[in-house]
């Protein structure tokens, strides 16, 4: 006889812990503490400890990093680490013991050992691990989907309130002014984020949050969050972000509309392939460049093609293992080069290459890059297909999958993989862990148990 999916606290594959009593009998106080903790953690990731800190796309980051962020997130890491040890179900944590996550952990350890600048790399990787642990806790700690949704909604509302308050009260910081490197961005919104290229993707994810809230019964607040966030996306002036967001929503909407998850995944693969041709192809093919220029008015994607050409030319020099985690841009392999007077940008002082996949290859090589590609972009699609087989998980899985699809497309224009506690990377990490859990646990089963228990008690 086939085994039915089990409850929120029990693995759907049949090797979860023995029942739901631990979760279903959690005291209201514990549940409230977890909701507040998750709300605080997600708000910290989205708003950061230094909101409204303007930054050019071309800037040097001190090797010592931001000490306030380092201390603050280290403290947050300790709090969430303790919460995972004391309040999380160990079976859920043990569900993470998969070959792909083990390889990713091994890759992180390997990069620490091989780093030419050990302390800087270790600091960066520790922040990255803390960010991943916090997003993992946001998925694992809530006792019910309703608790998770409450924390998510509160954090989304808080971010939108801070962002619009900044536009009204701190326009000099929340809106791009004149920048010698980027004069074309004057007047575009960035809110509490350092740059519009961060604001656009994060606000797109908040739009996806709002859609999930609306679908899950939070009609008014979900609609307000989704509309406010989407307006903010438009005000960032990013044509690609504004285009990729509706496309991502449409792609995952196909799964709900047709009931066939494989159709959504197939369309995603086709859309990503087409987008890759139109973005990276513009850097290497004159015909594609001309086509993009006729469509968008700029075939260089605001000078990115210069970075992509240079980035691709450097990959063969360290093909298998790359230059090391975070050891390519703003490091000797690039800084020691002569100034490229012919290029649209002086790539020696670019923070990153604005292309996730090329940056992954240059930093980690083919070996490390293959692991990251699987964990971040391919594996989640398999988990999505599994998660949609559990009826109670479909809305939540759709939300996480939409984030994955959107950020996979955005990876063609931005770099955020394993980037400390960068909010874009944190949202991708949240979706990866979310699909892992929704593929293995029935998140709505606990509600069925409670209703059944009340009916039995009344009888």
């Amino acid at each position: 006889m086939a085994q039915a999916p089990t409850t929120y606290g029990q693995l759907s594959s049949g090797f979860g812990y023995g029942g739901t009593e631990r979760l279903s009998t959690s005291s209201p106080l514990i549940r409230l503490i977890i909701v507040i903790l998750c709300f605080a953690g997600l708000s910290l990731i989205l708003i950061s400890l230094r909101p409204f800190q303007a930054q050019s796309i071309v800037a040097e980051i001190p090797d010592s990093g931001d000490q306030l962020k380092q201390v603050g997130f280290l403290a947050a890491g300790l709090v969430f680490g303790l919460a995972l040890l004391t309040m999380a179900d160990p079976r859920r944590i043990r569900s993470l013991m998969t070959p792909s996550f083990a390889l990713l952990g091994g890759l992180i350890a390997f990069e620490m050992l091989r780093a030419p600048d050990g302390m800087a790399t270790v600091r960066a990787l520790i922040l990255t691990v803390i960010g991943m642990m916090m997003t993992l806790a946001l998925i694992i700690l809530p006792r019910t989907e309703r608790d998770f949704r409450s924390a998510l909604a509160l954090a989304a509302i808080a971010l939108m309130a801070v962002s619009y308050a900044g536009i009204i009260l701190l326009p000099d910081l929340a809106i791009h002014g004149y920048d010698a490197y980027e004069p074309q961005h004057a007047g575009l919104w960035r809110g509490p984020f350092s740059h519009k290229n961060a604001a656009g993707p994060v606000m797109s994810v908040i739009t996806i949050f709002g859609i999930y809230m609306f679908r899950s019964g939070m009609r008014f607040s979900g609609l307000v969050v989704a509309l406010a966030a989407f307006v903010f996306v438009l005000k960032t002036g990013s044509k690609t972000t504004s285009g990729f967001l509706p496309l991502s929503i449409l792609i995952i909407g196909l799964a709900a509309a047709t009931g066939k998850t494989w159709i959504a995944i197939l369309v995603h693969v086709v859309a990503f392939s087409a987008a890759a041709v139109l973005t990276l192809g513009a850097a290497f093919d004159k015909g594609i460049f001309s086509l993009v220029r006729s469509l968008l008015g700029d075939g260089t994607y605001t000078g990115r093609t210069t970075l992509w050409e240079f980035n691709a030319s450097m990959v063969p020099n360290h093909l298998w293992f790359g230059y090391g985690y975070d050891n390519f841009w703003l490091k000797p392999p690039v800084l020691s080069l002569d100034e490229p007077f012919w290029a649209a940008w002086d790539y020696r002082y670019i923070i990153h290459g604005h292309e996730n996949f090329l940056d992954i290859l240059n930093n980690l090589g083919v070996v490390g890059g293959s692991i990251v590609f699987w964990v971040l972009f391919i594996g989640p699609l398999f988990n999505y297909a599994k998660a949609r087989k559990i009826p109670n998980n479909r809305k939540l899985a759709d939300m996480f999958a939409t984030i994955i699809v959107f950020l996979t497309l955005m990876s063609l224009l931005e770099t955020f993989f394993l980037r400390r506690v960068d909010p874009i990377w944190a949202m991708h990490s949240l979706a990866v862990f979310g699909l892992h859990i929704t593929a293995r646990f029935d998140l709505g089963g606990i509600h069925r148990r409670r209703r059944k228990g009340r009916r039995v008690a009344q009888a």
Side-chain angles (χ1 to χ4, degrees):
M1 179 182 296
Q3 184 176 7
T6 52
T7 65
Y8 183 86
Q10 191 173 1
L11 288 170
S12 61
S13 57
F15 51 88
Y17 76 97
T20 60
E21 288 77 10
R22 281 180 56 189
L23 295 183
S24 61
T25 58
S26 294
S27 71
L29 178 60
I30 294 297
R31 291 179 58 197
L32 178 62
I33 290 173
I34 289 174
V35 169
I36 293 174
L37 182 63
C38 291
F39 156 66
L42 187 54
S43 297
L44 176 62
I45 290 171
L46 293 172
I47 301 173
S48 86
L49 290 167
R50 289 192 189 274
F52 302 105
Q53 294 292 308
Q55 179 179 299
S56 172
I57 204 170
V58 182
E60 283 199 67
I61 300 175
D63 287 339
S64 59
D66 187 322
Q67 293 186 353
L68 175 62
K69 288 185 178 181
Q70 290 173 359
V71 173
F73 278 99
L74 180 60
L78 292 174
V79 170
F80 277 91
L82 180 62
L84 285 171
L85 289 174
T86 58
M87 291 189 285
D89 174 56
R91 300 285 180 144
R92 297 188 203 172
I93 296 177
R94 283 200 287 271
S95 76
L96 299 170
M97 296 180 183
T98 63
S100 57
F101 283 137
L103 286 172
L104 182 61
L107 176 64
I108 292 174
F110 175 69
E111 291 302 320
M112 286 185 179
L113 294 175
R114 70 186 288 239
D117 183 358
M119 289 306 298
T121 300
V122 168
R123 280 197 301 266
L125 281 169
I126 287 176
L127 285 175
T128 299
V129 171
I130 287 174
M132 293 173 69
M133 181 176 66
M134 290 175 67
T135 56
L136 172 64
L138 296 176
I139 299 297
I140 287 183
L141 288 178
R143 293 301 196 250
T144 67
E145 183 185 0
R146 179 181 178 182
D147 292 348
F148 170 79
R149 186 167 58 247
S150 297
L152 190 80
L154 288 172
I157 293 169
L159 174 63
M160 298 314 305
V162 169
S163 298
Y164 276 93
I167 297 298
I168 296 170
L169 303 176
L170 300 170
D172 292 342
L173 296 176
I175 300 175
H176 277 280
Y178 176 77
D179 187 314
Y181 290 110
E182 304 170 305
Q184 73 276 13
H185 292 162
L188 300 179
W189 289 12
R190 62 183 165 201
F193 304 97
S194 61
H195 197 276
K196 78 167 191 81
N197 288 345
V202 174
M203 287 300 180
S204 295
V205 173
I206 301 302
T207 304
I208 297 168
F209 285 174
I211 293 172
Y212 162 70
M213 291 161 57
F214 181 86
R215 293 183 66 201
S216 300
M218 303 178 71
R219 300 291 187 183
F220 177 75
S221 57
L223 182 62
V224 170
V225 166
L227 290 178
F230 186 66
V231 168
F232 208 103
V233 171
L234 297 177
K235 290 293 186 177
T236 65
S238 174
K239 297 178 182 178
T240 49
T241 304
S242 301
F244 283 156
L245 174 59
L247 177 61
S248 304
I249 295 170
L250 177 62
I251 288 172
I252 296 304
L254 291 173
T258 65
K260 299 183 183 299
T261 309
W262 67 267
I263 292 179
I265 294 174
L266 177 61
V267 173
H268 165 54
V269 172
V270 172
F272 172 76
S273 301
V277 170
L278 292 175
T279 51
L280 287 175
F284 304 101
D285 185 271
K286 292 182 179 179
I288 296 175
F289 176 87
S290 299
L291 174 62
V292 172
R293 184 172 58 184
S294 66
L295 293 173
L296 302 179
D298 175 20
T300 70
Y301 292 95
T302 323
R304 283 175 173 83
T305 51
T306 295
L307 303 180
W308 300 341
E309 291 171 2
F310 171 72
N311 214 343
S313 71
M314 298 293 284
V315 171
N317 297 336
H318 292 76
L319 181 62
W320 295 107
F321 295 101
Y323 292 83
Y325 171 80
D326 211 25
N327 283 311
F328 183 66
W329 300 101
L330 295 179
K331 295 297 187 296
V334 177
L335 291 176
S336 62
L337 299 174
D338 295 331
E339 182 178 352
F341 293 102
W342 53 269
W345 282 352
D346 185 351
Y347 46 69
R348 296 176 303 166
Y349 299 102
I350 295 296
I351 299 172
H352 54 74
H354 293 275
E355 216 289 344
N356 241 349
F357 304 106
L358 289 176
D359 273 4
I360 287 173
L361 286 176
N362 260 324
N363 282 321
L364 304 177
V366 172
V367 175
S370 298
I371 296 172
V372 172
F373 292 156
W374 176 266
V375 174
L376 300 188
F377 302 105
I378 302 174
L381 298 179
F382 285 94
N383 282 331
Y384 177 52
K386 295 177 183 177
R388 285 208 105 252
K389 293 179 180 179
I390 306 174
N392 294 295
N393 292 0
R394 287 173 184 165
K395 293 176 184 177
L396 191 55
D398 286 345
M399 182 191 77
F400 291 133
T402 306
I403 295 172
I404 293 292
V405 169
F406 171 71
L407 291 180
T408 300
L409 292 169
M410 284 304 302
S411 291
L412 294 167
L413 296 165
E414 299 297 338
T415 295
F416 53 83
F417 83 103
L418 300 178
R419 283 182 61 84
R420 303 174 179 84
V421 285
D422 179 284
I424 306 176
W425 157 240
M427 295 302 95
H428 195 112
S429 174
L430 181 78
V432 169
F433 287 129
L435 287 174
H436 174 89
I437 294 299
T438 54
R440 291 161 175 79
F441 295 87
D442 182 344
L443 305 188
I446 188 170
H447 299 296
R448 294 197 306 271
R449 279 260 182 147
R450 285 175 173 170
R451 288 195 297 267
K452 181 179 178 181
R454 284 196 293 268
R455 288 196 298 267
V456 171
Q458 291 170 359

